[in-house]
Amino acid sequence: MSGRLSIVGLGPGDPDLMTLKASRVVGTAPLVAFFAKAGRVGQARSIVEGRLAPGAEELRFDYPFTIEVPVEDPRYLAEMGVFYEACAEHLLTRLSDGEDVALLCEGDPFFYGSAMYLYDRLKDRAVVEVIPGVTGMSGCWTRAGVPMTHGDDVLSVMPGTLDEAVLAERLANCDAAVIMKVGRNLAKIGRALAVAGLTDRALYVERGAMAGERILPFASMAQTRAPYFSLVLVPGRRRAR
Amino acid sequence: MSGRLSIVGLGPGDPDLMTLKASRVVGTAPLVAFFAKAGRVGQARSIVEGRLAPGAEELRFDYPFTIEVPVEDPRYLAEMGVFYEACAEHLLTRLSDGEDVALLCEGDPFFYGSAMYLYDRLKDRAVVEVIPGVTGMSGCWTRAGVPMTHGDDVLSVMPGTLDEAVLAERLANCDAAVIMKVGRNLAKIGRALAVAGLTDRALYVERGAMAGERILPFASMAQTRAPYFSLVLVPGRRRAR
């Protein structure tokens, strides 16, 4: 009798924004797995602090890179593939032993989540359930107090890693936008927003719904770099209604 | 002492996907307001069935239209404006009397939610908090078992009400897509997917994460109309990793 793998979306950071189902699974799982950057607590793990079952075993998967390796770099794909493969085999061993495992995932697992790579490898070889969560971007636009999409708005979610011209074009072709992976791309994003004529509508959100949150108009920013957990929001059309 | 308005995102339909915070607010609010189509229970209200505080008062706002009036129709904007204004004034009276109110909202309030129009009217006149929720689309892609966005994917969320050529162009300019408001636009969406070369990647999800759920490859669909609570999903690039 094999165990069940529950891939648990934990929401944007505030433990109170976990779903009832996620909270129950996290609070009863005998074995809790999570990804983390080497030397860090891990964002997912920090959300469930104090909420694991007494005696729960923790299984930590350290990402192979501690600094960002560009996704285009062939080393990235190769090394991440080896890493995810090893994680999946490890989980499969435990599941085959009949153990239930909760794999923690910040935000929503199928929305830019690392857990997808384990889901792809395990879905046909084990009993796998996925529990959706509130996305980080929902947490951010709620904290910022900006209704994002109205009626017939088109929303585009894009990474700040795109080329400047592509970013500007994508921004010009939607009504509302979320730019993720701001980090070292901040200056480029600023130029693309200007080209698209959206600077004055844009908001910068740093660590939204987490400790150390900062929210400010993009136009008022003085800094030139941003941390990983930051977003730029361009709210949609606010039609008079 | 004025009451507090809590705009509560309830998630995609399964009550177990409400957040801990939403569940607590819904279960203790003395006054619970919600929108509904005339003659229907109301999607938001149905999610919280059996979960309201004993003796909670319910305040139902019936939408003025029972059939879809196109958003472009001037009557739509005008009549909806009058409707939302009346709802906001009603809530303000109750809040001014010191009552706390929970305004129910399916999905995530700031993501295509009607509650945004009350938020806009009341945020500077009352104490208003917004509780984000799992979006309907997250519920759908989770139920469909499709990881949606990877690494540097661009996701576009668009209404099926767009012109066919615009739909096709928007679809061609993203990696992953969610098409909302399928309903009577199903045939047009099918043609736009074909133009963009995405028919074989697309999935149709009807009533995802709700009773009566149906999920099938778009290419295998025989029907020509779809209900309101349906979506088309185009998962992003699955790079080998």
Side-chain angles (χ1 to χ4, degrees):
Chain A
M1 188 70 180
S2 284
R4 167 192 294 260
L5 173 63
S6 299
I7 300 180
V8 187
L10 299 176
D14 178 349
D16 215 16
L17 296 178
M18 290 169 59
T19 64
L20 298 173
K21 189 171 188 179
S23 178
R24 197 173 58 243
V25 170
V26 163
T28 57
L31 178 54
V32 174
F34 57 95
F35 295 108
K37 287 188 182 172
R40 304 275 185 90
V41 173
Q43 173 62 10
R45 177 60 184 80
S46 71
I47 295 174
V48 301
E49 177 61 27
R51 291 167 180 262
L52 302 186
E57 182 188 348
E58 300 190 34
L59 182 56
R60 179 187 164 100
F61 295 130
D62 274 347
Y63 285 117
F65 302 111
T66 51
I67 55 154
E68 262 185 69
V69 173
V71 181
E72 309 77 42
D73 190 321
R75 280 184 311 157
Y76 183 87
L77 274 185
E79 293 199 27
M80 289 304 281
V82 170
F83 169 65
Y84 288 129
E85 197 65 34
C87 296
E89 290 304 321
H90 191 130
L91 287 182
L92 194 59
T93 304
R94 305 298 298 261
L95 293 165
S96 303
D97 289 344
E99 296 181 89
D100 290 332
V101 183
L103 175 62
L104 309 180
C105 186
E106 58 262 41
D108 179 56
F110 281 172
F111 186 69
Y112 301 104
S114 298
M116 296 189 297
Y117 303 107
L118 302 195
Y119 174 84
D120 285 344
R121 286 172 168 82
L122 294 171
K123 68 185 163 66
D124 299 325
R125 303 166 72 194
V127 178
V128 181
E129 73 166 349
V130 179
I131 304 172
V134 177
T135 60
M137 67 182 187
S138 282
C140 287
W141 63 52
T142 301
R143 292 289 310 165
V146 285
M148 275 297 287
T149 51
H150 302 73
D152 284 349
D153 279 347
V154 174
L155 167 72
S156 277
V157 183
M158 62 194 81
T161 49
L162 294 177
D163 285 341
E164 185 172 330
V166 177
L167 258 182
E169 194 208 336
R170 294 284 184 277
L171 285 169
N173 277 309
C174 59
D175 305 298
V178 177
I179 309 174
M180 327 252 286
K181 300 191 180 182
V182 176
R184 66 182 69 173
N185 303 295
L186 186 61
K188 177 178 65 177
I189 291 167
R191 293 190 297 271
L193 284 167
V195 169
L198 295 173
T199 309
D200 291 342
R201 270 167 62 194
L203 290 172
Y204 171 75
V205 183
E206 187 174 301
R207 300 188 59 81
M210 300 180 217
E213 175 185 88
R214 291 175 65 221
I215 301 173
L216 58 166
F218 193 91
S220 75
M221 287 179 69
Q223 70 207 68
T224 54
R225 282 197 59 166
Y228 183 80
F229 283 108
S230 53
L231 285 182
V232 173
L233 302 175
V234 181
R237 299 170 291 178
R238 287 176 165 274
R239 282 189 291 203
R241 184 182 278 185
Chain B
M1 189 67 180
S2 283
R4 168 193 293 259
L5 174 63
S6 298
I7 299 179
V8 187
L10 298 175
D14 178 349
D16 215 17
L17 296 179
M18 291 169 59
T19 63
L20 298 173
K21 188 170 187 179
S23 178
R24 196 173 58 242
V25 169
V26 163
T28 56
L31 179 54
V32 175
F34 57 96
F35 295 109
K37 287 187 181 174
R40 305 275 185 89
V41 174
Q43 173 63 10
R45 177 61 184 79
S46 71
I47 296 173
V48 301
E49 178 61 26
R51 292 169 180 260
L52 302 186
E57 182 187 350
E58 300 189 35
L59 182 56
R60 178 186 166 99
F61 296 130
D62 274 348
Y63 285 117
F65 302 111
T66 51
I67 55 156
E68 262 184 69
V69 173
V71 181
E72 310 76 41
D73 189 321
R75 280 184 310 157
Y76 183 88
L77 274 186
E79 293 199 29
M80 290 304 281
V82 169
F83 168 65
Y84 288 129
E85 196 65 34
C87 296
E89 290 304 320
H90 191 130
L91 287 182
L92 194 61
T93 303
R94 305 297 298 260
L95 293 165
S96 302
D97 289 345
E99 296 181 90
D100 289 332
V101 183
L103 175 62
L104 308 180
C105 187
E106 59 263 42
D108 179 56
F110 280 172
F111 187 68
Y112 301 105
S114 298
M116 294 188 301
Y117 303 107
L118 302 194
Y119 174 83
D120 285 342
R121 286 173 168 82
L122 294 172
K123 67 183 163 64
D124 298 326
R125 303 165 73 194
V127 178
V128 181
E129 73 167 347
V130 179
I131 304 173
V134 177
T135 60
M137 67 183 188
S138 282
C140 287
W141 64 51
T142 302
R143 292 290 308 164
V146 285
M148 276 298 287
T149 50
H150 304 71
D152 284 349
D153 279 347
V154 174
L155 167 72
S156 276
V157 183
M158 61 194 81
T161 49
L162 292 177
D163 286 342
E164 187 172 327
V166 177
L167 258 182
E169 195 207 336
R170 294 286 183 276
L171 286 169
N173 278 308
C174 59
D175 305 298
V178 177
I179 309 175
M180 326 252 286
K181 300 192 181 182
V182 176
R184 66 183 68 174
N185 304 295
L186 185 60
K188 177 179 65 179
I189 291 168
R191 293 190 298 271
L193 284 167
V195 169
L198 295 173
T199 308
D200 291 343
R201 269 168 61 195
L203 290 172
Y204 170 75
V205 183
E206 186 173 301
R207 300 188 59 78
M210 300 181 218
E213 174 185 88
R214 292 174 66 220
I215 302 173
L216 58 166
F218 193 91
S220 76
M221 286 180 69
Q223 70 206 67
T224 54
R225 283 195 58 165
Y228 183 79
F229 283 108
S230 52
L231 284 181
V232 173
L233 302 175
V234 181
R237 300 171 290 178
R238 287 174 166 275
R239 280 189 291 203
R241 185 181 278 185

